[in-house]
Amino acid sequence: MFQLTHVIATHTGKLTGQMIRRLRLGGGTNLPGSLARRVAPDVLRTLSATLPQGVVLLSGTNGKTTTSRMLADMLQAAGLQVLHNRAGANLIEGLTTTALAATDWRGRTKAELGLFEVDEAALPQAIDETAPRLVVIHNLFRDQLDRYGEIDTVARAWRAALATLPATATVLLNADDPAVAALGAGLTAQVCYYGLDDAQHATGAVAHIADSQFCRQCGQRYTYPLAFYAHIGHYHCPACGHQRPAAQVALARLELHGAAGSQLYLRYPGGALELALPLPGLYNAYNASAAFAAALALGLSPAVARNSLEQFSAAFGRIERVNLGGTPLLIALIKNPVGASETVRMLLNADRSTASNLHLLISINDRLADGTDVSWLWDADFEILAGHVAHVTVTGTRADDMAVRLKYAGLEPQRLTTIPALDQALDHARKQLPAGTTLFALPTYTAMLELRALLAAQGWVQHFWEE
């Protein structure tokens, strides 16, 4: 029930957001929620309880923003009014800001269902405050060790939070990630799995950056009949027999078609379908599979889910294509070893005609939102770039670290330029491009926001909160 403090909190948050946007100080995606929570600490709990169709939470290390946008599009196509933190503000303050935006001045909700992308560390609190009907957990990799700690620390916190969910809730997990799949054991909530079954995408060995290599029950090293990337794959324990659970929603066949996208054949209880996904890369196929499985868990028709995926356009900074007055730019966020490695692999596989002649702009920051520990650069597989780069411009607060890393990866020094200032680095990178060549920008999170702000100021894109 809405109390006076909640009304005051709602007014405070909404007025703050309006002021920030009117003064063009940013998108107002976090501060309104932060101020509202100071007035009424339980305001998110109260607002979540007013949503007729409940709340869906989606978390994981990589793919949260893209997957949640895919699911949001499906829900909207099904006719639902969706409350979604589309700009990616995924801490508790960001969730609260999003909830405030969907209420009127008297605290009455204008949405039917809440869909929140949630930061890994914030997921336990989000579960507690929103009482979700569905929790989707995508993957778990090393990321921002200064904030999260090792993955076992994160997994324990997730496990404790999921154990509080009632039997009416559903937990959807990636069967191919051992640390994530193990979260489903013994829960009161209903548990479902999704995963990849197409053996043609197996690499033959678990990568050196694999984090979950040991049995979650007995500690023996897993055996991987199929390893797709990092520790993602089909696994079993030779000692106790623990193994990958069967996926109710399975990506039975996947055909990657370079930069154009991919063809997915999905099998699910009671049927199967094929769809054309307009996004490249194995990890985007996983994103689509997770979103499709979540849509089915929420009662959407497979046809609606398929049609939405076939019309999907990438979130800002995540395989985002920008036309800079005739210069093609593709922005692909990187933020941890697995994400960076798979993004680089995607670029090399996307267009065989240019794979030996790549032009890159890499921007590495070490601000709080990026993680202040950049040692992850040495775990990412930048070695596969050697012999495939025409020129790379490195920028950001840790540009020198990235330049050293690329030299050790085998890139020739004459193909590498370090320019700390982003605007100057972008100008330099564009000048190196032959006509018709794509510039691939690989920024960390705050660097991506800076790049898009620069592009918005130049008129090439909209600010992300205006999209």
Side-chain angles (χ1 to χ4, degrees), residues 318-339:
R318 283 84 170 174
I319 316 298
E320 180 182 15
R321 301 176 189 276
V322 180
N323 186 344
L324 305 182
T327 299
L329 171 69
L330 186 145
I331 307 172
L333 175 71
I334 61 172
K335 63 189 186 77
N336 53 48
V338 172

Side-chain angles (χ1 to χ4, degrees), residues 185-323:
L187 294 183
T188 301
Q190 303 172 63
V191 179
C192 297
Y193 295 95
Y194 70 92
L196 174 63
D197 283 352
D198 191 343
Q200 70 171 313
H201 298 285
T203 61
V206 175
H208 74 280
I209 52 177
D211 296 310
S212 296
Q213 301 186 52
F214 299 95
C215 179
R216 314 303 291 186
Q217 294 187 1
C218 73
Q220 181 74 20
R221 186 183 292 272
Y222 283 123
T223 296
Y224 274 79
L226 298 176
F228 299 124
Y229 65 92
H231 56 256
I232 302 298
H234 293 199
Y235 48 88
H236 72 267
C237 175
C240 72
H242 175 68
Q243 62 183 345
R244 171 195 184 261
Q248 284 80 33
V249 176
L251 181 50
R253 189 173 70 248
L254 170 64
E255 300 294 336
L256 299 175
H257 299 313
S262 53
Q263 197 76 14
L264 284 64
Y265 184 84
L266 289 159
R267 186 175 60 244
Y268 53 90
L273 57 74
E274 192 166 4
L275 66 91
L277 181 69
L279 293 181
L282 176 60
Y283 58 91
N284 277 317
Y286 262 105
N287 293 340
S289 300
F292 182 86
L296 296 188
L298 292 170
L300 273 64
S301 75
V304 167
R306 177 187 60 202
N307 293 341
S308 293
L309 285 173
E310 291 191 329
Q311 299 172 40
F312 183 76
S313 58
F316 67 93
R318 283 84 170 174
I319 316 298
E320 180 182 15
R321 301 176 189 276
V322 180
N323 186 344

Side-chain angles (χ1 to χ4, degrees), residues 1 28 89 94 126 134 186 210 292 302 327 348 454 466:
M1 184 173 180
L134 172 65
F292 182 86
T327 299
L348 292 175
L454 176 61
E466 297 174 338

Side-chain angles (χ1 to χ4, degrees), residues 82 87 225:
V82 181

Side-chain angles (χ1 to χ4, degrees), residues 86-401:
R86 189 172 180 83
N90 56 25
L91 298 175
I92 290 296
E93 294 79 8
L95 272 60
T96 305
T97 299
T98 303
L100 290 169
T103 61
D104 62 21
W105 294 100
R106 288 180 287 181
R108 296 180 302 188
T109 183
K110 296 180 285 186
E112 297 173 87
L113 181 144
L115 169 60
F116 297 122
E117 165 197 336
V118 188
D119 174 85
E120 299 95 297
L123 181 60
Q125 186 177 359
I127 289 174
D128 175 59
E129 294 195 18
T130 66
R133 60 182 286 194
L134 172 65
V135 178
V136 183
I137 300 184
H138 208 9
N139 47 53
L140 182 55
F141 304 118
R142 277 174 290 159
D143 187 26
Q144 300 187 39
L145 295 179
D146 54 307
R147 286 188 60 222
Y148 303 132
E150 293 290 347
I151 66 166
D152 287 344
T153 302
V154 178
R156 280 194 296 270
W158 285 355
R159 170 70 188 181
L162 293 173
T164 66
L165 293 173
T168 53
T170 300
V171 177
L172 176 62
L173 304 171
N174 184 351
D176 298 339
D177 186 321
V180 170
L183 296 170
L187 294 183
T188 301
Q190 303 172 63
V191 179
C192 297
Y193 295 95
Y194 70 92
L196 174 63
D197 283 352
D198 191 343
Q200 70 171 313
H201 298 285
T203 61
V206 175
H208 74 280
I209 52 177
D211 296 310
S212 296
Q213 301 186 52
F214 299 95
C215 179
R216 314 303 291 186
Q217 294 187 1
C218 73
Q220 181 74 20
R221 186 183 292 272
Y222 283 123
T223 296
Y224 274 79
L226 298 176
F228 299 124
Y229 65 92
H231 56 256
I232 302 298
H234 293 199
Y235 48 88
H236 72 267
C237 175
C240 72
H242 175 68
Q243 62 183 345
R244 171 195 184 261
Q248 284 80 33
V249 176
L251 181 50
R253 189 173 70 248
L254 170 64
E255 300 294 336
L256 299 175
H257 299 313
S262 53
Q263 197 76 14
L264 284 64
Y265 184 84
L266 289 159
R267 186 175 60 244
Y268 53 90
L273 57 74
E274 192 166 4
L275 66 91
L277 181 69
L279 293 181
L282 176 60
Y283 58 91
N284 277 317
Y286 262 105
N287 293 340
S289 300
F292 182 86
L296 296 188
L298 292 170
L300 273 64
S301 75
V304 167
R306 177 187 60 202
N307 293 341
S308 293
L309 285 173
E310 291 191 329
Q311 299 172 40
F312 183 76
S313 58
F316 67 93
R318 283 84 170 174
I319 316 298
E320 180 182 15
R321 301 176 189 276
V322 180
N323 186 344
L324 305 182
T327 299
L329 171 69
L330 186 145
I331 307 172
L333 175 71
I334 61 172
K335 63 189 186 77
N336 53 48
V338 172
S341 298
E342 288 307 303
T343 297
V344 169
R345 201 175 312 279
M346 180 271 294
L347 296 183
L348 292 175
N349 293 332
D351 188 345
R352 296 294 185 181
S353 65
T354 61
S356 61
N357 195 36
L358 292 173
H359 285 257
L360 304 175
L361 172 66
I362 303 180
S363 185
I364 306 297
N365 284 350
D366 61 350
R367 300 192 174 98
L368 286 177
D370 306 293
T372 57
D373 180 358
V374 297
S375 62
W376 65 268
L377 295 174
W378 293 91
D379 289 329
D381 194 7
F382 291 114
E383 277 71 15
I384 60 177
L385 285 173
H388 298 286
V389 173
H391 189 269
V392 55
T393 306
V394 182
T395 187
T397 60
R398 300 303 287 264
D400 290 337
D401 296 77

